Coordinates of all heavy atoms in Angstrom, one line a residue:
D372 N -81.9 -39.5 76.7 CA -80.8 -39.1 77.5 C -79.8 -38.5 76.6 O -79.3 -39.1 75.7 CB -80.2 -40.3 78.3 CG -79.0 -40.0 79.2 OD1 -78.9 -38.8 79.6 OD2 -78.4 -40.9 79.4
I373 N -79.3 -37.3 76.9 CA -78.5 -36.5 76.1 C -77.1 -37.1 75.9 O -76.4 -37.0 75.0 CB -78.3 -35.0 76.6 CG1 -77.9 -34.1 75.5 CG2 -77.4 -34.9 77.7 CD1 -78.9 -33.7 74.7
D374 N -76.6 -38.0 76.8 CA -75.3 -38.5 76.9 C -75.3 -39.7 75.9 O -74.2 -40.4 75.8 CB -74.8 -39.0 78.2 CG -74.5 -37.7 79.2 OD1 -73.9 -36.7 78.5 OD2 -74.7 -37.8 80.4
R375 N -76.3 -40.1 75.2 CA -76.3 -41.3 74.3 C -75.8 -40.8 73.0 O -75.5 -41.7 72.1 CB -77.7 -41.7 74.2 CG -78.3 -42.4 75.4 CD -79.7 -43.0 75.4 NE -80.0 -43.4 74.0 CZ -81.2 -43.6 73.6 NH1 -82.2 -43.3 74.4 NH2 -81.5 -44.1 72.5
F376 N -75.6 -39.5 72.7 CA -75.2 -39.0 71.5 C -73.7 -39.0 71.5 O -73.0 -38.4 72.4 CB -75.7 -37.6 71.2 CG -77.2 -37.5 71.0 CD1 -78.1 -37.2 71.9 CD2 -77.7 -37.8 69.6 CE1 -79.5 -37.2 71.7 CE2 -79.1 -37.9 69.3 CZ -80.0 -37.6 70.5
D377 N -73.0 -39.6 70.5 CA -71.6 -39.5 70.3 C -71.3 -38.3 69.5 O -70.1 -37.8 69.6 CB -71.1 -40.8 69.7 CG -71.2 -42.0 70.5 OD1 -71.0 -41.9 71.8 OD2 -71.6 -43.0 70.1
Y378 N -72.1 -38.0 68.5 CA -71.7 -36.9 67.5 C -72.9 -36.1 67.3 O -74.1 -36.6 67.3 CB -71.3 -37.4 66.1 CG -70.0 -38.3 66.3 CD1 -70.1 -39.7 66.4 CD2 -68.8 -37.9 66.3 CE1 -69.0 -40.5 66.5 CE2 -67.6 -38.6 66.4 CZ -67.7 -40.0 66.5 OH -66.6 -40.7 66.6
V379 N -72.7 -34.8 67.0 CA -73.8 -33.9 66.5 C -73.1 -33.3 65.1 O -72.0 -32.7 65.2 CB -74.0 -32.7 67.4 CG1 -74.9 -31.8 66.8 CG2 -74.5 -33.2 68.7
I380 N -73.7 -33.8 64.2 CA -73.2 -33.3 62.8 C -74.1 -32.3 62.1 O -75.4 -32.6 62.0 CB -73.0 -34.6 61.9 CG1 -72.1 -35.6 62.6 CG2 -72.5 -34.2 60.5 CD1 -71.9 -36.9 61.9
T381 N -73.5 -31.2 61.7 CA -74.3 -30.2 60.9 C -73.7 -30.2 59.4 O -72.6 -30.5 59.2 CB -74.2 -28.8 61.5 OG1 -72.8 -28.4 61.6 CG2 -74.8 -28.7 62.8
V382 N -74.7 -30.1 58.5 CA -74.3 -30.1 57.1 C -74.6 -28.9 56.3 O -74.4 -28.8 55.1 CB -74.9 -31.2 56.4 CG1 -74.4 -32.7 57.0 CG2 -76.4 -31.2 56.4
C383 N -75.1 -27.9 57.0 CA -75.1 -26.6 56.3 C -74.7 -25.4 57.2 O -74.6 -25.6 58.5 CB -76.7 -26.3 55.8 SG -77.7 -25.8 57.2
D384 N -74.1 -24.4 56.6 CA -73.4 -23.3 57.4 C -74.4 -22.7 58.4 O -74.0 -22.3 59.5 CB -72.8 -22.2 56.4 CG -71.7 -22.8 55.7 OD1 -71.0 -24.0 56.1 OD2 -71.4 -22.4 54.5
N385 N -75.7 -22.5 58.0 CA -76.6 -21.8 58.9 C -76.8 -22.6 60.1 O -76.9 -22.1 61.2 CB -78.0 -21.6 58.1 CG -79.0 -20.8 58.9 OD1 -78.6 -20.0 59.7 ND2 -80.2 -21.2 58.7
A386 N -76.9 -24.0 60.0 CA -77.1 -24.8 61.2 C -75.9 -24.8 62.0 O -76.0 -24.8 63.3 CB -77.4 -26.3 60.7
A387 N -74.7 -24.8 61.3 CA -73.5 -24.7 62.1 C -73.4 -23.4 63.1 O -72.9 -23.4 64.2 CB -72.3 -24.8 61.3
E388 N -73.9 -22.3 62.5 CA -73.8 -21.0 63.1 C -74.8 -20.9 64.3 O -74.7 -20.2 65.3 CB -74.0 -19.9 62.2 CG -72.8 -19.8 61.2 CD -73.2 -18.8 60.0 OE1 -74.2 -18.2 60.0 OE2 -72.3 -18.7 59.1
R389 N -76.1 -21.4 64.0 CA -77.2 -21.4 64.9 C -77.5 -22.6 65.8 O -78.3 -22.4 66.6 CB -78.5 -21.0 64.1 CG -78.4 -19.7 63.2 CD -79.7 -19.4 62.6 NE -79.5 -18.4 61.6 CZ -79.1 -17.1 61.7 NH1 -79.0 -16.6 62.9 NH2 -79.2 -16.3 60.7
C390 N -76.8 -23.6 65.6 CA -77.0 -24.8 66.4 C -76.7 -24.5 67.8 O -75.6 -24.0 68.1 CB -76.1 -25.9 65.9 SG -76.5 -27.5 66.7
P391 N -77.7 -24.8 68.7 CA -77.4 -24.5 70.1 C -76.2 -25.2 70.7 O -75.9 -26.3 70.0 CB -78.7 -24.7 70.8 CG -79.4 -25.7 70.0 CD -78.9 -25.4 68.5
V392 N -75.7 -24.8 71.8 CA -74.8 -25.6 72.5 C -75.3 -26.9 72.8 O -76.5 -27.1 73.2 CB -74.3 -24.9 73.7 CG1 -73.4 -25.8 74.7 CG2 -73.6 -23.6 73.4
F393 N -74.7 -28.0 72.5 CA -75.1 -29.4 72.8 C -74.5 -29.8 74.0 O -73.4 -30.2 74.0 CB -74.9 -30.2 71.5 CG -75.8 -31.4 71.4 CD1 -77.0 -31.3 70.9 CD2 -75.4 -32.6 72.0 CE1 -77.9 -32.4 70.8 CE2 -76.2 -33.7 72.0 CZ -77.6 -33.7 71.4
P394 N -75.2 -30.0 75.1 CA -74.6 -30.5 76.3 C -74.2 -32.0 76.2 O -74.7 -32.7 75.3 CB -75.8 -30.3 77.4 CG -77.0 -30.3 76.6 CD -76.7 -29.8 75.2
G395 N -73.5 -32.4 77.1 CA -73.0 -33.8 77.0 C -71.6 -34.0 76.3 O -70.9 -32.9 76.1
K396 N -71.2 -35.2 76.1 CA -70.0 -35.4 75.6 C -69.9 -35.6 74.2 O -69.0 -36.0 73.5 CB -69.5 -36.9 76.2 CG -70.5 -38.0 75.7 CD -70.0 -39.3 76.3 CE -70.9 -40.4 75.8 NZ -70.3 -41.6 75.7
A397 N -71.1 -35.3 73.4 CA -71.0 -35.3 71.9 C -69.9 -34.6 71.3 O -69.7 -33.5 71.7 CB -72.5 -34.9 71.4
I398 N -69.3 -35.1 70.3 CA -68.3 -34.4 69.5 C -69.1 -33.6 68.4 O -69.9 -34.3 67.7 CB -67.2 -35.4 68.8 CG1 -66.5 -36.0 70.0 CG2 -66.4 -34.7 68.0 CD1 -65.6 -37.2 69.5
R399 N -68.9 -32.4 68.3 CA -69.6 -31.6 67.2 C -68.7 -31.5 65.9 O -67.6 -31.1 66.0 CB -69.9 -30.1 67.7 CG -70.8 -29.5 66.8 CD -71.2 -28.1 67.6 NE -72.0 -27.3 66.7 CZ -72.4 -26.1 67.0 NH1 -72.3 -25.6 68.3 NH2 -73.0 -25.3 66.1
I400 N -69.3 -31.9 64.9 CA -68.7 -31.9 63.5 C -69.5 -31.1 62.6 O -70.6 -31.3 62.6 CB -68.5 -33.3 63.1 CG1 -67.6 -34.1 64.0 CG2 -67.9 -33.4 61.6 CD1 -67.6 -35.6 63.6
H401 N -68.8 -30.2 61.8 CA -69.5 -29.5 60.8 C -68.8 -29.9 59.4 O -67.6 -29.8 59.2 CB -69.5 -28.0 60.9 CG -70.0 -27.3 59.8 ND1 -71.4 -27.3 59.6 CD2 -69.6 -26.6 58.9 CE1 -71.6 -26.6 58.4 NE2 -70.6 -26.1 58.0
H402 N -69.7 -30.2 58.4 CA -69.2 -30.3 57.0 C -70.2 -29.5 56.1 O -71.3 -29.9 56.1 CB -69.2 -31.8 56.7 CG -68.5 -32.1 55.4 ND1 -67.2 -32.4 55.3 CD2 -69.0 -32.1 54.1 CE1 -66.9 -32.6 54.0 NE2 -67.9 -32.5 53.4
S403 N -69.6 -28.6 55.5 CA -70.4 -27.7 54.7 C -70.6 -28.3 53.3 O -69.7 -28.9 52.7 CB -69.6 -26.4 54.5 OG -70.4 -25.4 53.8
F404 N -71.9 -28.1 52.9 CA -72.3 -28.7 51.6 C -72.9 -27.5 50.9 O -73.6 -26.6 51.5 CB -73.3 -29.8 51.7 CG -72.7 -31.1 52.1 CD1 -72.8 -31.4 53.4 CD2 -72.0 -32.0 51.2 CE1 -72.2 -32.7 54.0 CE2 -71.5 -33.2 51.7 CZ -71.6 -33.5 53.0
P405 N -72.9 -27.4 49.5 CA -73.6 -26.4 48.8 C -75.1 -26.4 49.1 O -75.7 -27.4 49.4 CB -73.3 -26.7 47.4 CG -72.2 -27.8 47.2 CD -72.3 -28.5 48.6
D406 N -75.6 -25.2 49.0 CA -77.1 -25.1 49.3 C -77.9 -25.3 48.0 O -77.7 -24.6 47.0 CB -77.4 -23.6 49.6 CG -78.8 -23.3 50.1 OD1 -79.5 -24.4 50.3 OD2 -79.2 -22.3 50.2
P407 N -78.7 -26.4 47.9 CA -79.3 -26.8 46.5 C -80.1 -25.7 46.0 O -80.0 -25.3 44.7 CB -80.2 -28.0 46.9 CG -79.4 -28.6 48.0 CD -78.9 -27.4 48.9
P408 N -80.9 -24.9 46.7 CA -81.6 -23.8 46.1 C -80.7 -22.8 45.5 O -81.0 -22.3 44.4 CB -82.5 -23.2 47.2 CG -82.6 -24.3 48.2 CD -81.4 -25.1 48.1
K409 N -79.7 -22.5 46.0 CA -78.7 -21.5 45.5 C -78.1 -22.1 44.2 O -77.8 -21.4 43.2 CB -77.6 -21.1 46.5 CG -78.1 -20.2 47.5 CD -77.0 -19.8 48.4 CE -77.7 -18.9 49.5 NZ -76.6 -18.5 50.5
L410 N -77.8 -23.3 44.3 CA -77.2 -24.0 43.0 C -78.1 -24.0 41.8 O -77.8 -23.8 40.7 CB -76.9 -25.5 43.4 CG -75.6 -25.7 44.2 CD1 -75.4 -27.2 44.4 CD2 -74.3 -25.1 43.6
A411 N -79.5 -24.2 42.2 CA -80.4 -24.2 41.2 C -81.0 -22.9 40.7 O -81.7 -22.7 39.7 CB -81.7 -25.0 41.8
E412 N -80.6 -21.8 41.3 CA -81.0 -20.4 40.9 C -80.7 -20.1 39.4 O -81.5 -19.5 38.7 CB -80.3 -19.3 41.7 CG -80.9 -19.3 43.0 CD -80.2 -18.2 43.9 OE1 -79.1 -17.7 43.5 OE2 -80.7 -17.9 45.0
S413 N -79.6 -20.6 38.9 CA -79.3 -20.1 37.5 C -79.7 -21.1 36.4 O -79.5 -20.9 35.3 CB -77.8 -20.0 37.5 OG -77.2 -21.4 37.7
V414 N -80.4 -22.2 36.7 CA -80.8 -23.3 35.8 C -82.2 -22.8 35.3 O -83.1 -22.4 36.1 CB -80.8 -24.7 36.4 CG1 -79.3 -25.0 36.7 CG2 -81.6 -24.9 37.5
Q415 N -82.6 -23.3 34.1 CA -83.8 -23.0 33.5 C -84.7 -24.2 33.4 O -85.9 -24.1 33.4 CB -83.6 -22.4 32.2 CG -82.9 -21.1 32.2 CD -83.5 -19.9 33.0 OE1 -84.7 -19.8 32.8 NE2 -82.8 -19.2 33.7
I416 N -84.0 -25.4 33.3 CA -84.8 -26.6 33.0 C -85.0 -27.4 34.3 O -84.1 -27.5 35.2 CB -83.9 -27.5 32.0 CG1 -83.8 -26.7 30.8 CG2 -84.7 -28.8 31.8 CD1 -82.7 -27.4 29.9
K417 N -86.1 -27.9 34.6 CA -86.5 -28.5 35.7 C -85.6 -29.7 36.1 O -85.3 -29.9 37.3 CB -88.0 -29.0 35.7 CG -88.6 -29.6 37.0 CD -88.8 -28.5 37.9 CE -89.5 -29.0 39.1 NZ -89.6 -28.0 40.3
E418 N -85.2 -30.5 35.1 CA -84.4 -31.6 35.4 C -83.0 -31.1 35.9 O -82.4 -31.7 36.7 CB -84.3 -32.5 34.1 CG -83.5 -33.8 34.3 CD -84.2 -34.7 35.2 OE1 -85.5 -34.7 35.3 OE2 -83.5 -35.6 35.8
E419 N -82.5 -30.1 35.3 CA -81.3 -29.6 35.9 C -81.4 -29.0 37.3 O -80.3 -29.2 38.1 CB -80.8 -28.4 34.9 CG -80.3 -28.8 33.5 CD -79.9 -27.7 32.7 OE1 -79.9 -26.6 33.0 OE2 -79.5 -28.0 31.6
E420 N -82.5 -28.5 37.6 CA -82.8 -28.1 39.1 C -82.7 -29.2 40.0 O -82.0 -29.3 41.0 CB -84.1 -27.4 39.1 CG -84.4 -26.9 40.4 CD -85.7 -26.0 40.5 OE1 -86.3 -25.7 39.5 OE2 -86.3 -25.9 41.7
L421 N -83.4 -30.3 39.4 CA -83.3 -31.6 40.3 C -81.9 -32.1 40.4 O -81.6 -32.7 41.5 CB -84.3 -32.6 39.7 CG -85.7 -32.3 39.8 CD1 -86.7 -33.3 39.0 CD2 -86.3 -32.3 41.3
D422 N -81.2 -32.0 39.4 CA -79.8 -32.6 39.4 C -79.0 -31.7 40.5 O -78.0 -32.4 41.1 CB -79.2 -32.2 38.1 CG -79.6 -33.3 37.0 OD1 -80.3 -34.3 37.4 OD2 -79.4 -33.0 35.8
C423 N -79.2 -30.5 40.8 CA -78.6 -29.8 41.8 C -78.9 -30.4 43.2 O -78.0 -30.6 44.0 CB -79.1 -28.3 41.8 SG -78.5 -27.3 40.4
Y424 N -80.2 -30.7 43.5 CA -80.5 -31.4 44.7 C -79.9 -32.6 44.7 O -79.4 -33.2 45.8 CB -82.1 -31.4 44.8 CG -82.6 -30.1 45.2 CD1 -82.9 -29.2 44.1 CD2 -82.9 -29.7 46.5 CE1 -83.5 -27.9 44.5 CE2 -83.5 -28.5 46.8 CZ -83.8 -27.7 45.8 OH -84.3 -26.5 46.1
R425 N -79.8 -33.5 43.6 CA -79.3 -34.8 43.7 C -77.8 -34.9 43.9 O -77.4 -35.8 44.6 CB -79.6 -35.5 42.3 CG -81.1 -35.9 42.2 CD -81.4 -36.5 40.7 NE -82.7 -36.8 40.5 CZ -83.4 -36.3 39.5 NH1 -82.8 -35.7 38.5 NH2 -84.8 -36.6 39.4
R426 N -77.2 -33.9 43.4 CA -75.8 -33.7 43.5 C -75.4 -33.6 45.0 O -74.6 -34.3 45.6 CB -75.2 -32.6 42.8 CG -73.7 -32.4 42.9 CD -73.3 -31.1 42.3 NE -72.3 -30.3 43.2 CZ -72.0 -29.2 43.1 NH1 -72.5 -28.5 42.1 NH2 -71.4 -28.5 44.1
V427 N -76.1 -32.8 45.7 CA -75.8 -32.4 47.1 C -76.3 -33.6 48.0 O -75.6 -34.1 48.9 CB -76.6 -31.2 47.6 CG1 -76.4 -31.0 49.0 CG2 -76.1 -29.9 46.9
R428 N -77.5 -34.3 47.6 CA -77.8 -35.4 48.3 C -76.7 -36.6 48.2 O -76.5 -37.2 49.2 CB -79.1 -36.1 47.6 CG -79.6 -37.4 48.1 CD -80.4 -38.1 47.2 NE -79.7 -38.4 46.0 CZ -80.3 -38.8 44.9 NH1 -81.7 -38.8 44.8 NH2 -79.7 -39.1 43.8
D429 N -76.1 -36.7 47.0 CA -75.1 -37.8 46.8 C -73.8 -37.4 47.6 O -73.2 -38.3 48.2 CB -74.9 -37.9 45.4 CG -75.9 -38.5 44.6 OD1 -76.9 -39.1 45.2 OD2 -76.0 -38.5 43.3
E430 N -73.5 -36.1 47.7 CA -72.3 -35.7 48.4 C -72.5 -35.9 49.9 O -71.6 -36.4 50.6 CB -72.0 -34.2 48.1 CG -71.6 -33.9 46.8 CD -71.3 -32.4 46.5 OE1 -71.2 -31.7 47.6 OE2 -71.2 -32.0 45.4
I431 N -73.7 -35.6 50.4 CA -74.0 -36.0 51.8 C -74.0 -37.5 52.2 O -73.4 -37.9 53.0 CB -75.3 -35.4 52.3 CG1 -75.4 -33.9 52.3 CG2 -75.9 -35.9 53.6 CD1 -76.7 -33.2 52.5
G432 N -74.5 -38.2 51.2 CA -74.5 -39.7 51.3 C -73.0 -40.2 51.3 O -72.8 -41.1 52.2
Q433 N -72.2 -39.7 50.4 CA -70.8 -40.1 50.5 C -70.2 -39.8 51.7 O -69.4 -40.5 52.3 CB -70.1 -39.5 49.3 CG -68.7 -40.0 49.2 CD -67.9 -39.4 48.0 OE1 -68.5 -38.7 47.1 NE2 -66.6 -39.6 47.8
F434 N -70.3 -38.5 52.3 CA -69.8 -38.1 53.5 C -70.3 -39.1 54.6 O -69.3 -39.4 55.4 CB -70.2 -36.6 53.8 CG -69.9 -36.2 55.2 CD1 -68.6 -35.9 55.5 CD2 -71.0 -36.1 56.2 CE1 -68.4 -35.5 56.9 CE2 -70.6 -35.8 57.5 CZ -69.3 -35.4 57.8
V435 N -71.5 -39.4 54.7 CA -72.0 -40.3 55.8 C -71.3 -41.5 55.7 O -70.8 -42.1 56.7 CB -73.5 -40.4 55.7 CG1 -74.1 -41.5 56.7 CG2 -74.1 -39.1 56.1
E436 N -71.3 -42.2 54.5 CA -70.6 -43.5 54.4 C -69.1 -43.4 54.8 O -68.6 -44.3 55.5 CB -70.7 -43.9 52.9 CG -72.0 -44.4 52.5 CD -72.1 -44.9 51.0 OE1 -71.1 -45.3 50.4 OE2 -73.2 -44.8 50.5
E437 N -68.4 -42.4 54.4 CA -67.0 -42.2 54.8 C -66.9 -42.0 56.2 O -66.0 -42.6 56.9 CB -66.4 -41.2 53.9 CG -66.2 -41.5 52.5 CD -65.7 -40.3 51.6 OE1 -65.4 -39.2 52.2 OE2 -65.6 -40.5 50.4
F438 N -67.7 -41.2 56.8 CA -67.6 -41.0 58.3 C -67.9 -42.4 59.1 O -67.2 -42.6 60.0 CB -68.7 -40.0 58.6 CG -68.9 -39.8 60.2 CD1 -67.9 -39.0 60.9 CD2 -69.9 -40.3 60.8 CE1 -68.1 -38.8 62.2 CE2 -70.0 -40.2 62.2 CZ -69.2 -39.5 62.9
L439 N -68.8 -43.1 58.7 CA -69.1 -44.3 59.3 C -68.0 -45.3 59.2 O -67.6 -45.9 60.2 CB -70.4 -44.9 58.8 CG -71.7 -44.2 59.1 CD1 -72.9 -44.9 58.4 CD2 -72.0 -44.2 60.6
Q440 N -67.3 -45.4 58.0 CA -66.1 -46.2 57.9 C -65.1 -45.8 58.9 O -64.4 -46.7 59.4 CB -65.7 -46.2 56.3 CG -66.6 -47.0 55.5 CD -66.2 -46.9 54.1 OE1 -65.3 -46.2 53.8 NE2 -66.9 -47.5 53.2
R441 N -64.8 -44.5 58.8 CA -63.7 -43.9 59.7 C -64.0 -44.1 61.2 O -63.1 -44.6 61.9 CB -63.5 -42.5 59.5 CG -62.7 -42.2 58.2 CD -62.3 -40.7 58.1 NE -63.4 -39.7 58.6 CZ -64.3 -39.1 57.5 NH1 -64.1 -39.5 56.5 NH2 -65.1 -38.3 58.1
S442 N -65.2 -44.0 61.5 CA -65.6 -44.0 62.9 C -65.7 -45.4 63.5 O -65.6 -45.7 64.7 CB -66.8 -43.2 63.3 OG -67.9 -43.9 62.7
Q443 N -66.0 -46.4 62.6 CA -66.1 -47.8 63.0 C -64.8 -48.6 62.8 O -64.8 -49.7 63.3 CB -67.3 -48.4 62.3 CG -68.5 -47.8 62.6 CD -69.7 -48.3 61.8 OE1 -69.6 -49.2 60.9 NE2 -70.9 -47.9 62.1
G444 N -64.0 -48.0 62.0 CA -62.7 -48.9 61.6 C -61.4 -48.5 62.1 O -60.5 -49.2 62.2

C-alpha cells in the first residue's frame, strides 16, 4: 500500500531529477552526495579508489543516522 511510506529519500541528483511522482502522503526529501565513480576518476591506486566509495558510504550512513534521530525525536 503506497500510503505506508512516510518519506521518499533520494541521494543522487539523477534520481532526484528522474524519480517519478510518488503518490500518497510521502514527504519527498533529496540530499545530494558526491558520485563515487566521479570522485575516483583521478586516482591511480586501487585503495584510493575504494576510499572514494567508502567516503560516500560513510556520508550516507551519517545522513541516515541524523535523519532518524530528527524524525524520531
